[in-house]
Amino acid sequence: MMDFLLILPVVLSLLILIISSKLRYYFALFITLYVSVISSIPAISLLINFGSTPFVFYIFSTEIIIDNLSAFFMIVTNFTMLTGMLFSKGYLQPYLSKKSSYEIAIHYCNYLLLHVSMLLVLVFRNGFAFLIAWELMAVSSFILILFEGEKRSTLKTAVNYLIQMHIGFVFLLIAFLICQSETGNISFDALKIYFANHNNSFLFMMFFVGFAIKAGFIPLHTWLPDAHPAAPSHVSGTMSGVMIKMGIYGIIRVLSYVHFDLYLIGFFILLISAISGILGVMFAIIQHDLKKLLAYHSIENIGIIGMGIGLGTIGLGINNPLLVMLGFSGALLHVLNHSLFKSLLFYSAGSVYKNYHTHNIEQLGGVIHKMPKTAAFFLIGSIAICGLPPLNGFISEFLIYLGLFKGLTTGTFHNSILMLLAIIALVLIGGLAIFCFTKVFSVVFLGTSRKKMENEVNEVGNDMLFPQLLISLAIIAIGLFPMIFIKPITIIVSGLFKINTDSYILSITDTFSKIGIISITLIVITGSLIILRSKMLKKRKVNYGTTWGCGSANISGKQQYTGSSFANNFSDIARPLLHIKKEYNQISENEIFPAKRSFYTHPEDVFKKTILKIVDFLMMILKKLARLQTGQIQHYILYAFIFILLIFILMYLKFI
Amino acid sequence: MDILIVILFAITLLYFSITERFRIYTNLVCFQGFLLFALALFELKALTIGNFLFVSSETLIFKGIAVPFLLYKIINKTGEERVHVKALPGLFSLIFVSIGLLLSIIIAYSLKTRLGNITYFIVSFFALYTGLFLITSHKKIFSHLIGFLVIENAVFLFSLTIGNEMPMLINIAILLDIFASILILGIFAMRLKQHTDDLTMLKDE
Amino acid sequence: MISFLLILITALFFPGIILRIKSITSGRKGPDILQPWKNILILLRKSSTFSSTTSYIFQIAPVIYITTIICAMLLMPFAGYKLIFGFNGDFILFAYLLALGKFFFILSAMDTGSSFEGMGANREALYSMLVEPAFFILIGTIALLTGYTSMQEIFANLQLANHYYFIISIILIYLLIQIAMIENSRMPVDDPKTHLELTMIHEVMILDHCGFDLALIQIGTTLKFAIYGTFIANFVIPVNLPIVLQLSIYFSTQIIFAAIIGFLESFRARKKLMKNPQFIVSLSSIALVAFILSLLLLHQMLK
């Protein structure tokens, strides 16, 4: 029975290739719904029955276990994949005429395969099965990125993505093989045996690197800021929303088996996450490409999630259940939250792209007048991603903050300093995120248009707005009624790490109910003040005029603050960390009437540059070595002769 | 009360990292001299007359008055008012120095010294770090001189950590060090100025 | 709820005192203490002119700005009295509520499409980002000293008896005054009386606001000042005194705070705009000194 359930969506997704192009979308939607429902039923029932025993199935004699952690990630995956599918209908509309029907079919087929493979990653415990699902996930997402493969840059990015995923895969494979050679078994359960009587940190590091490439921790992130913009918006939304979270899932799963060195591992994760968070958002600020900017924000949010995990691991290390609960709950809730607001942001960025055909924020402006609803959704996403109340991002960051402050007050000497540094990092991330999103929202949506549009732009259709509405409702719900979502998550954490959290949940309930009340108060006061204000304005005369321009009434859109100028004061003080190439020529002294000039900035990723430098160096060496390859047969014979001679000498000296 | 002085000392060190004017450097050095004098008075409870004279002459007269006086002289003579244009911007030196503060507390705590007051220990480490940082991050020789003086103060503070039994010999050595360095550098700076324009700089650009 | 009322009362006379002090130091007689509020009342009655470039963001932003400040007021404790909304980590919500207000404030400035307001907006965004760590280290310091994580419990347990605490409090109060000045765009980083749009921060952001909206923003700014004043007063007020004494200490602290701001603004020059980030970060460094000091004290006592 279970075999059939699994095989059905795979077969159906292949069926998409032959179905008629009219019905194709509905068929794909149907399969997504089917997969989501089938997998959500056990997941939801698990989470509702608070920590009951996990479901165990056998498919082709491979064990499938759905425990609380898998169930949580499955629900996150299903929701985002569903909204992505809903969004794709409107987004792919213009492509239907451009692309052949076959290409669209392959796209949908791989979208479904990505969905199925992610679910399989979450439920497989056998190492090989897990790796196969992991590989399927990489390949299907590779094909999804290739959707606009006729562009050379997309092709390059996609190949780069595939290569980097395989490097991660190799790390995972080696890690599993080490485990097998020591315990004779290749599965996650064997890790428990391995970690119980071996050095923990080494094998964990292997796993961590493998998973971190997927998750996008700095400095292993270099595929991420290119791959997300290259893919269609619904794919970027789902990739950033859930696919990179598979890396987080892997890290948490492996961590749950680690026995020793937990403090050290926690310290390491906290450090690398803080760096990822701060640098991710710093790189984001200087971007002009809207989707690239959002991609860098994924790195930042992965950093925040990682800080939660690091905090929790430190809690395990010093045996403080409160820190474990706050850290891991914050991380898991942020996984959910990030999947919501990041997909929302990518979808609304996609809506803008659909109408304006550009990702470059310097050419946009005043979009809010044409697309007010999209702007509202982007605004909700922005507030949420900045971690501001009353939306969901605040709740998860609050959990991590609270954990850090608890660690500060109850910790040892070194711990206190560590926690303080983590707090500073989190505060900086929050402040920089606000800086970034005030920039991007105001440059894209506010003001007036910077570039003249040829045709009239209208709001996107309801089919694209509906999934965004769904996500927004979820975001607001988590923000206003946090306890409903936190409680199951704390139970996942307590089950996974075998800690008793009942006494702490009570104090958290009080905290979050008060946060909820204040959030509701905020909305109520805002609402009533807005009503009051409109009543006051009705009584008075309201005029409309131009913006104050210091006496000048003739202001063009080009005079507005652009993204670069908004970020300028920040990039000035952070110049040593960020590499921004500026292209302009100075006005010379004898130029009385300045000619027309241009100004470009090119933000560069420092890490990518470093890697490229290393690669260039290697290429140089290889080129020098290539001189040996002369193409003349005498030389090759000479090499062979030298080789034989060498062997002879070595034998003589008894080296061989 | 002594803790307040040490805190003020630490804050002057932070101030060193962001200021760009030589006159403020000089004032800070002067202020540190007074702080150290006050600290020595508080810390060295059983002062003999000889010891008192010595400590007060070292901190108050030399560090607090003579050295700043000389430094002012150098500034006036050479007309060098500010640090080099290409010196590290204040913001970054501030961040580096703050990191130094954290590092010094971690180091001091890891050493788990039984030697007296740990706060002194931290701040003297911090002063050492700041002095070295001033020397490495600046280009003009005047800043190097200031860094050197800060290191001297760090050593003095460190010797206070040990407590009452401050060996006379160390004191004399410190005193001579300051004396020699200021005199030599002062003479150099003033002499060299007469020949070329910009020899207060250690290296070109 | 005491603190809520107290902040409202303080806000009534707070801007008046600052104005009065500034006038007296510059040799003038100065307006009535309640004059700023009379101006606000006039603004409330005025008609409005909106830029046609603006959108609904511009309309709701002032409302959200003041709402966040009112909600933040709910979280401010008074002298360790039980607070309805006190909970673990309430200062995080406090800081983030104010940040939400700022978020919308910046957006409303950018909504006008004016490059002047863009200048103010990006400066505001940068400075508020830089000042946030100082505030959190400060909170971390007192949380560490007392071992609690809600503002009400922290202030209920912050004893000033020990002279070490006294020193730490001096540093923290100094920091709080500076943070209040930066958050409210006052003298060391911004000059409310400046005449040039190029050097403004707060003033340039409200260039296009008028009438009811402008009044809301000014009320909000006044309330924000009073909130920070209450924060400072909490450091000074001993917990176990009769309420009358506590109230008198509270009001005298507020008056002194307003007077300090007046004097600072009269005698201090504004910093170069380029040097502002450096100044703001230096506050974090000083906060770090206070944190390390309290960490040392705590561990010396445990030993």
Side-chain angles (χ1 to χ4, degrees), chain B residues 63-106:
Chain B
K63 285 185 201 267
I65 297 167
V67 168
F69 181 73
L70 249 170
L71 290 176
Y72 260 113
K73 248 206 155 155
I74 295 176
I75 294 171
N76 289 338
K77 273 257 177 172
T78 56
E80 292 288 328
E81 292 272 349
R82 300 172 66 92
V83 296
H84 195 272
V85 198
K86 286 195 175 166
L88 198 65
L91 185 67
F92 298 112
S93 34
L94 184 67
I95 290 170
F96 277 118
V97 168
S98 308
I99 292 170
L101 181 61
L102 280 177
L103 280 183
S104 47
I105 185 177
I106 291 169

Side-chain angles (χ1 to χ4, degrees), chain A residues 80-99:
Chain A
T80 307
M81 293 309 280
L82 201 58
T83 55
M85 182 52 92
L86 286 172
F87 182 80
S88 73
K89 180 174 184 249
Y91 185 79
L92 289 182
Q93 204 73 48
Y95 291 96
L96 290 181
S97 53
K98 272 190 264 172
K99 295 258 168 194

Side-chain angles (χ1 to χ4, degrees), chain C:
Chain C
M1 290 319 268
I2 314 170
S3 53
F4 192 84
L5 291 176
L6 285 176
I7 290 170
L8 285 181
I9 296 167
T10 315
L12 274 183
F13 64 79
F14 206 88
I17 293 179
I18 299 177
L19 263 187
R20 206 48 181 289
I21 300 244
K22 279 169 85 172
S23 321
I24 291 168
T25 47
S26 58
R28 287 175 284 131
K29 195 167 153 257
D32 186 35
I33 292 280
L34 288 177
Q35 188 59 45
W37 277 95
K38 287 177 187 161
N39 292 348
I40 287 173
L41 285 180
I42 292 170
L43 280 178
L44 280 175
R45 287 199 298 269
K46 278 194 172 177
S47 63
S48 294
T49 304
F50 295 113
S51 162
S52 46
T53 318
T54 56
S55 63
Y56 57 85
I57 301 285
F58 191 80
Q59 314 267 336
I60 59 168
V63 173
I64 294 183
Y65 179 69
I66 192 165
T67 316
T68 54
I69 290 168
I70 292 171
C71 286
M73 275 162 69
L74 290 173
L75 296 169
M76 186 48 72
F78 174 69
Y81 285 100
K82 190 107 186 73
L83 194 69
I84 307 169
F85 289 111
F87 54 85
N88 280 333
D90 48 2
F91 44 80
I92 304 163
L93 183 59
F94 174 81
Y96 271 69
L97 275 174
L98 293 183
L100 177 69
K102 248 180 265 170
F103 184 88
F104 272 95
F105 193 45
I106 294 167
L107 286 191
S108 80
M110 292 296 286
D111 200 8
T112 58
S114 146
S115 38
F116 287 130
E117 304 203 18
M119 276 176 209
N122 88 323
R123 284 171 195 159
E124 172 91 5
L126 182 73
Y127 298 160
S128 52
M129 183 267 286
L130 288 173
V131 79
E132 215 84 315
F135 182 75
F136 273 84
I137 300 174
L138 189 152
I139 291 281
T141 308
I142 48 177
L144 183 73
L145 273 178
T146 54
Y148 290 98
T149 47
S150 80
M151 284 203 276
Q152 176 226 329
E153 284 173 318
I154 285 174
F155 286 122
N157 291 285
L158 195 72
Q159 327 116 349
L160 293 173
N162 193 322
H163 73 279
Y164 289 125
Y165 288 119
F166 185 68
I167 292 165
I168 293 173
S169 309
I170 288 176
I171 301 177
L172 295 184
I173 288 170
Y174 167 78
L175 286 174
L176 265 178
I177 292 175
Q178 299 291 359
I179 290 172
M181 300 290 264
I182 295 165
E183 290 271 347
N184 293 296
S185 309
R186 301 302 281 228
M187 196 46 135
V189 296
D190 188 13
D191 186 358
K193 287 276 167 273
T194 181
H195 295 292
L196 185 62
E197 283 91 341
L198 291 172
T199 61
M200 292 175 178
I201 298 171
H202 183 265
E203 294 303 308
V204 78
M205 289 171 75
I206 54 174
L207 272 181
D208 269 272
H209 290 271
C210 59
F212 192 78
D213 292 347
L214 187 60
L216 286 187
I217 290 173
Q218 289 190 350
I219 296 170
T221 312
T222 315
L223 287 175
K224 217 164 155 186
F225 244 135
I227 291 176
Y228 278 98
T230 312
F231 209 122
I232 294 170
N234 272 321
F235 274 95
V236 187
I237 302 171
V239 178
N240 37 17
L241 276 188
I243 182 112
V244 184
L245 269 179
Q246 283 178 333
L247 282 180
S248 54
I249 295 176
Y250 174 82
F251 283 115
S252 42
T253 320
Q254 293 283 32
I255 292 169
I256 293 170
F257 178 48
I260 288 174
I261 292 168
F263 281 117
L264 277 180
E265 296 220 316
S266 313
F267 295 109
R268 199 169 179 182
R270 207 198 49 204
K271 289 201 177 303
K272 234 168 136 182
L273 274 176
M274 270 172 65
K275 296 285 170 200
N276 274 340
Q278 189 177 311
F279 168 71
I280 298 171
V281 175
S282 74
L283 294 182
S284 300
S285 301
I286 295 173
L288 206 58
V289 173
F291 178 81
I292 285 175
L293 184 63
S294 53
L295 196 60
L296 283 176
L297 290 178
L298 210 68
H299 282 265
Q300 270 175 5
M301 265 166 244
L302 289 179
K303 254 187 267 171

Side-chain angles (χ1 to χ4, degrees), chain A residues 156-423:
Chain A
K156 212 172 143 190
T157 305
V159 172
N160 179 15
Y161 167 74
L162 195 66
I163 292 170
Q164 295 216 26
M165 284 308 108
H166 277 93
I167 297 172
F169 180 78
V170 167
F171 273 95
L172 293 181
L173 185 66
I174 293 173
F176 271 118
L177 287 179
I178 289 173
C179 170
Q180 193 204 21
S181 67
E182 294 292 327
T183 60
N185 208 340
I186 184 158
S187 71
F188 278 112
D189 295 325
L191 285 179
K192 197 190 273 173
I193 306 162
Y194 179 90
F195 281 129
N197 42 28
H198 284 85
N199 182 4
N200 282 205
S201 39
F202 171 70
L203 193 68
F204 176 77
M205 280 308 298
M206 295 294 283
F207 274 114
F208 184 80
V209 171
F211 288 128
I213 290 180
K214 187 62 111 184
F217 281 99
I218 285 177
L220 306 168
H221 69 286
T222 45
W223 64 272
L224 208 151
D226 292 331
H228 283 44
S233 278
H234 57 283
V235 176
S236 339
T238 48
M239 267 171 61
S240 179
V242 287
M243 198 192 72
I244 61 172
K245 306 293 168 25
M246 295 301 129
I248 297 291
Y249 163 79
I251 291 170
I252 295 180
R253 175 66 76 197
V254 174
L255 261 181
S256 68
Y257 299 116
V258 174
H259 282 264
F260 313 113
D261 295 340
L262 279 163
Y263 189 84
L264 198 69
I265 289 171
F267 173 73
F268 170 75
I269 296 178
L270 195 62
L271 189 75
I272 198 167
S273 312
I275 292 171
S276 301
I278 294 176
L279 286 182
V281 64
M282 277 169 89
F283 288 137
I285 287 176
I286 55 171
Q287 300 301 324
H288 312 307
D289 187 316
L290 183 54
K291 280 173 84 178
K292 209 166 187 169
L293 183 145
L294 293 176
Y296 272 112
H297 268 284
S298 297
I299 300 173
E300 172 226 321
N301 279 286
I302 286 292
I304 295 175
I305 294 168
M307 282 175 81
I309 295 175
L311 172 71
T313 316
I314 286 177
L316 285 174
I318 61 173
N319 225 339
N320 187 338
L322 181 60
L323 294 195
V324 178
M325 187 187 77
L326 289 173
F328 280 109
S329 312
L332 284 179
L333 188 62
H334 205 75
V335 166
L336 171 63
N337 288 343
H338 181 241
S339 77
L340 294 175
F341 54 64
K342 187 46 69 68
S343 52
L344 177 63
L345 286 169
F346 266 120
Y347 297 162
S348 38
S351 305
V352 174
Y353 179 72
K354 193 191 172 197
N355 282 343
Y356 286 83
H357 312 293
T358 179
H359 286 147
N360 189 348
I361 60 172
E362 313 287 35
Q363 293 180 355
L364 296 166
V367 177
I368 195 168
H369 299 291
K370 309 277 187 200
M371 305 165 73
K373 288 172 192 159
T374 303
F377 287 132
F378 197 90
L379 182 66
I380 289 176
S382 308
I383 297 173
I385 200 174
C386 291
L388 293 171
L391 297 184
N392 63 354
F394 176 73
I395 305 296
S396 44
E397 283 192 30
F398 184 88
L399 273 169
I400 299 173
Y401 264 123
L402 194 60
L404 291 173
F405 272 102
K406 288 285 179 196
L408 187 81
T409 50
T410 54
T412 57
F413 186 84
H414 287 118
N415 215 7
S416 296
I417 291 182
L418 188 62
M419 293 296 153
L420 184 83
L421 288 180
I423 288 170

Side-chain angles (χ1 to χ4, degrees), chain A residues 11-28:
Chain A
V11 172
L12 284 179
S13 61
L14 292 176
L15 260 180
I16 279 191
L17 297 176
I18 50 168
I19 211 157
S20 86
S21 56
K22 265 185 198 161
L23 288 174
R24 187 176 292 128
Y25 166 74
Y26 295 101
F27 191 62

